[in-house]
Amino acid sequence: MILSSIILQACGDKMKVIEVKNLVKDFGGRRVLDGISFEVEEGEVFGYLGPNGAGKTTTLRIILGLLNPTSGEAMVMGKNLAEDDEARKKIGVVLENDGLYEGLSAFDNLEYYAQLYDVSNRKEKIEDLLRFVGLYGRNEKVGFFSKGMIRKLAIARAIINDPEVLFLDEPSAGLDPEAQRMVRNLILELSKEGKTVFLNSHDLDEVQRICDRIAILQRGKIMVCDAVKSLRRKFSGPRVIISTSDNKSAGRAFEILNPLDFVSNCEIDGKKISLMLKENKQSSLLRKLSENGVEIEEIRKVEVTLEDIYFKMQKEEEK
Amino acid sequence: MRKEFIIAKKEIMEILQNKSSLLFTVGYSVFFSVMAALGVKKFPETIDTAVFYIPLVMGIFFAYVSTGRIFFREKRDKIIETLLCTPVSLRKLWFGKVLGAAIPSYAIAIFSAFLIALISSILLKSIIFPSLILVLHLLVTIPLFVLAAVGLIGFLYLLAGMKEVRIAGTVIFMTIFGALFGGLGLIGEGYRISLLIEIALMMTSLLLVVLTGYLTRYLSKERIVTTIT
């Protein structure tokens, strides 16, 4: 692994840490995953997005060896985690549950997992990790911790074995904004250390902030898999927000703009219209509105967000 | 240290750290042991029967309670999913947990036996030494029975869905109890202790342990994960 990594880096090519090929999973005659394929390179933060029930957790469980695929394969560092116990020493996971025992202290929780992963210099390593997540000196049982503290400890638990790949399933779910930011920063720090991160999420803002590449899953199929920057370029027609004088004008503007060929994702919200321009046709847009006597207070371009892309993909899928 | 022992050690540590549960367990054991010893004071010839049955019942009962705490809770709280991602095989994980529940349960059984003998000795004002059959019973049969009970109930907890799991555990517990005392009633005369009964019990417990070990091959990560919710 180390040698091949050095050779690949010398060639300017990155190693494929996760490889998923034509993954199909059926549950009781229902197809949950339908030919999923993607790769994650070494050091990447990869976001796996999709609405509830799209098949995100099923994919993750197959990669982790918790479920068997109906067909296809999922490899992590060239190994099938379902069959290779030793290969699991190189991964860290934070699943829906934090995997922590409420009746034990933070130290005892980490020590237990450290022993299961055969970690050497346990005491030193655990103390360092507790300092890293800001829980050093907290000797009470984990049951008394806040949600944010528990999630921080879960991340410390997941990296106790210094894993090469980290799998995170909705790491910020149920946390307050401050704790969410803290978790995000932790992931970014781990990414800086060169860890590969697979992030299962439906928090588009979080994914946009920390992921290098994303895949969007819809009804068991991957709709798009690309770098966040590249996706923004692809969907580069600017998003435009038009503020009108009143709700009536906004309604009129919507009726005029929505059918236009170069307009997509047109939405109305009170006095405001939000839309995406397929080409740079802002002047045509303004002309159409003035010809129809719609009063405009403000018009401004905003950068396309992952949310815009996500909903656009969803709408296209529904069509 | 072997992974099974690491897991067992953690389970035992958690049981010991749960003071209310520990107090309940010890209190329960003390209560029944004192009651048995009071019976022995009235009928001194029943001492062997008391040391034979009470620790066995205590052991199996606490095996049932601690197995629920260890296996059921981990599945309900989904901690098991994280554990299945560690570099520990499913069989080792299962066996470690079985040990973690069986060791304290056996300790309770031995504690009960010791307590009955001690209190009876005090009440009868003479030191009571166990017979060879009782020694065999306490050192071989009870641990095997406890191991089989924990193994079977634990296996079932991992295999069954969350709705069925509690009922299934109780069914297994009641079946073991029913078979144990029903069978003994058929073999013995009024639950009197004999070498025949001891050998029959020992063979049954051994058979149950082997059966439990065999059944674990039907455990799979997929089965566990898909029966969590």
Side-chain angles (χ1 to χ4, degrees):
Chain A
M1 169 80 186
I2 295 167
L3 185 65
S4 56
S5 177
I6 292 166
I7 295 167
L8 282 168
Q9 277 176 10
C11 299
D13 206 355
K14 280 197 172 179
M15 205 170 151
K16 289 174 180 67
V17 175
I18 304 170
E19 290 173 274
V20 173
K21 289 177 192 163
N22 300 318
L23 214 57
V24 173
K25 181 68 183 172
D26 294 337
F27 277 123
R30 193 171 66 91
R31 184 143 293 186
V32 179
L33 295 180
D34 192 2
I36 300 283
S37 296
F38 62 85
E39 288 165 348
V40 180
E41 290 181 346
E42 191 181 9
E44 258 187 339
V45 180
F46 185 82
Y48 199 53
L49 287 164
N52 290 334
K56 298 193 302 290
T57 302
T58 303
T59 311
L60 180 62
R61 282 175 169 172
I62 292 174
I63 296 172
L64 294 173
L66 298 174
L67 293 178
N68 302 317
T70 304
S71 65
E73 60 174 16
M75 311 289 263
V76 178
M77 289 170 289
K79 301 276 171 64
N80 181 346
L81 296 182
E83 293 164 0
D84 196 331
D85 292 341
E86 282 299 300
R88 293 200 294 274
K89 278 189 178 171
K90 293 176 181 173
I91 65 156
V93 295
V94 177
L95 301 176
E96 187 190 340
N97 173 276
D98 297 292
L100 299 167
Y101 295 91
E102 291 189 348
L104 299 181
S105 67
F107 189 96
D108 288 342
N109 265 290
L110 293 188
E111 187 171 42
Y112 177 50
Y113 281 96
Q115 284 179 308
L116 294 181
Y117 281 95
D118 294 322
V119 174
S120 53
N121 298 329
R122 282 200 304 273
K123 190 171 182 286
E124 212 172 280
K125 178 109 198 206
I126 293 168
E127 285 177 353
D128 283 349
L129 272 177
L130 287 174
R131 279 192 196 97
F132 176 65
V133 295
L135 293 172
Y136 184 73
R138 303 297 297 245
N139 299 320
E140 66 267 45
K141 287 179 182 175
V142 168
F144 295 107
F145 281 11
S146 69
K147 266 190 179 179
M149 286 161 78
I150 288 175
R151 196 48 60 92
K152 280 202 275 187
L153 186 61
I155 292 174
R157 174 194 54 69
I159 56 174
I160 188 85
N161 52 326
D162 197 17
E164 290 176 36
V165 197
L166 201 57
F167 293 91
L168 306 171
D169 192 7
E170 308 279 2
S172 305
L175 299 182
D176 60 50
E178 197 182 333
Q180 278 181 9
R181 192 173 60 181
M182 175 226 29
V183 169
R184 228 169 20 231
N185 290 341
L186 270 178
I187 297 169
L188 284 171
E189 271 193 60
L190 292 170
S191 164
K192 275 182 203 158
E193 285 176 19
K195 307 248 184 264
T196 306
V197 180
F198 182 94
L199 180 69
N200 225 1
S201 181
H202 55 212
D203 185 337
L204 297 166
D205 183 48
E206 177 180 78
V207 168
Q208 183 169 262
R209 284 169 194 239
I210 60 179
C211 291
D212 303 310
R213 256 178 0 113
I214 60 156
I216 299 178
L217 191 69
Q218 177 89 344
R219 292 188 199 129
K221 286 182 180 173
I222 288 188
M223 305 303 299
V224 67
C225 182
D226 211 337
V228 176
K229 280 180 189 170
S230 159
L231 274 174
R232 276 188 179 151
R233 267 200 305 273
K234 273 185 197 166
F235 292 84
S236 60
R239 194 154 76 91
V240 175
I241 295 179
I242 303 162
S243 301
T244 59
S245 53
D246 51 45
N247 292 0
K248 199 179 165 190
S249 301
R252 178 90 187 101
F254 181 79
E255 279 169 21
I256 296 160
L257 300 176
N258 195 35
L260 296 176
D261 291 341
F262 53 89
V263 168
S264 66
N265 287 43
C266 191
E267 281 167 11
I268 184 164
D269 180 17
K271 292 193 285 184
K272 285 181 182 173
I273 303 277
S274 166
L275 54 87
M276 280 172 80
L277 283 177
K278 284 180 186 165
E279 300 144 47
N280 204 1
K281 291 215 169 179
Q282 208 170 319
S283 52
S284 310
L285 197 88
L286 284 170
R287 199 170 50 246
K288 279 273 177 195
L289 291 173
S290 63
E291 277 170 10
N292 288 282
V294 178
E295 265 184 57
I296 300 165
E297 286 189 344
E298 187 192 18
I299 181 161
R300 63 189 165 95
K301 271 189 197 175
V302 287
E303 198 182 4
V304 175
T305 64
L306 200 53
E307 193 174 81
D308 299 325
I309 297 168
Y310 181 81
F311 287 118
K312 190 174 166 121
M313 298 297 308
Q314 271 198 327
K315 276 188 182 167
E316 279 174 13
E317 165 68 6
E318 278 161 18
K319 278 176 193 169
Chain B
M1 200 194 292
R2 287 180 64 98
K3 298 285 163 64
E4 296 91 319
F5 297 140
I6 294 168
I7 294 162
K9 193 179 129 193
K10 195 278 297 174
E11 301 301 351
I12 295 168
M13 192 164 85
E14 263 202 295
I15 289 174
L16 293 177
Q17 285 187 0
N18 190 336
K19 286 184 185 107
S20 62
S21 161
L22 197 67
L23 209 68
F24 167 77
T25 307
V26 173
Y28 207 69
S29 174
V30 168
F31 173 77
F32 277 95
S33 302
V34 169
M35 295 304 284
L38 289 173
V40 170
K41 192 192 170 192
K42 269 189 179 173
F43 308 101
E45 69 279 8
T46 59
I47 178 72
D48 274 6
T49 312
V51 178
F52 192 88
Y53 288 111
I54 300 290
L56 184 62
V57 172
M58 285 291 143
I60 296 176
F61 179 68
F62 286 106
Y64 168 66
V65 173
S66 50
T67 308
R69 196 176 298 140
I70 291 171
F71 284 90
F72 177 77
R73 188 201 56 188
E74 280 201 356
K75 197 168 174 181
R76 183 199 62 201
D77 297 347
K78 299 182 183 176
I79 297 175
I80 189 79
E81 227 180 334
T82 303
L83 283 176
L84 291 173
C85 296
T86 63
V88 184
S89 71
L90 179 53
R91 274 175 85 98
K92 282 183 181 174
L93 202 63
W94 170 82
F95 188 58
K97 292 190 174 299
V98 167
L99 279 182
I103 292 169
S105 305
Y106 178 57
I108 286 292
I110 292 296
F111 174 66
S112 300
F114 172 76
L115 219 57
I116 295 168
L118 180 75
I119 300 169
S120 300
S121 296
I122 294 167
L123 294 174
L124 295 172
K125 290 175 183 150
S126 70
I127 297 170
I128 294 165
F129 291 102
S131 64
L132 190 68
I133 296 175
L134 275 183
V135 171
L136 204 66
H137 183 69
L138 291 172
L139 295 183
V140 182
T141 309
I142 291 184
L144 281 177
F145 248 109
V146 166
L147 207 61
V150 172
L152 272 175
I153 300 169
F155 165 76
L156 210 77
Y157 277 156
L158 292 181
L159 198 76
M162 295 309 286
K163 281 178 190 164
E164 305 92 49
V165 94
R166 275 219 177 263
I167 304 160
T170 312
V171 167
I172 287 259
F173 171 67
M174 298 307 282
T175 307
I176 290 175
F177 250 74
L180 182 66
F181 289 98
L184 287 173
L186 286 175
I187 301 169
E189 295 167 22
Y191 299 108
R192 271 175 55 194
I193 315 303
S194 70
L195 192 63
L196 176 71
I197 288 177
E198 182 52 33
I199 289 171
L201 262 184
M202 202 187 292
M203 295 311 288
T204 310
S205 61
L206 201 64
L207 201 75
L208 279 173
V209 169
V210 173
L211 174 76
T212 310
Y214 175 79
L215 284 174
T216 54
R217 68 179 57 193
Y218 294 105
L219 274 182
S220 73
K221 290 185 178 181
E222 175 144 348
R223 177 76 200 172
I224 297 168
V225 169
T226 50
T227 51
I228 286 177
T229 45

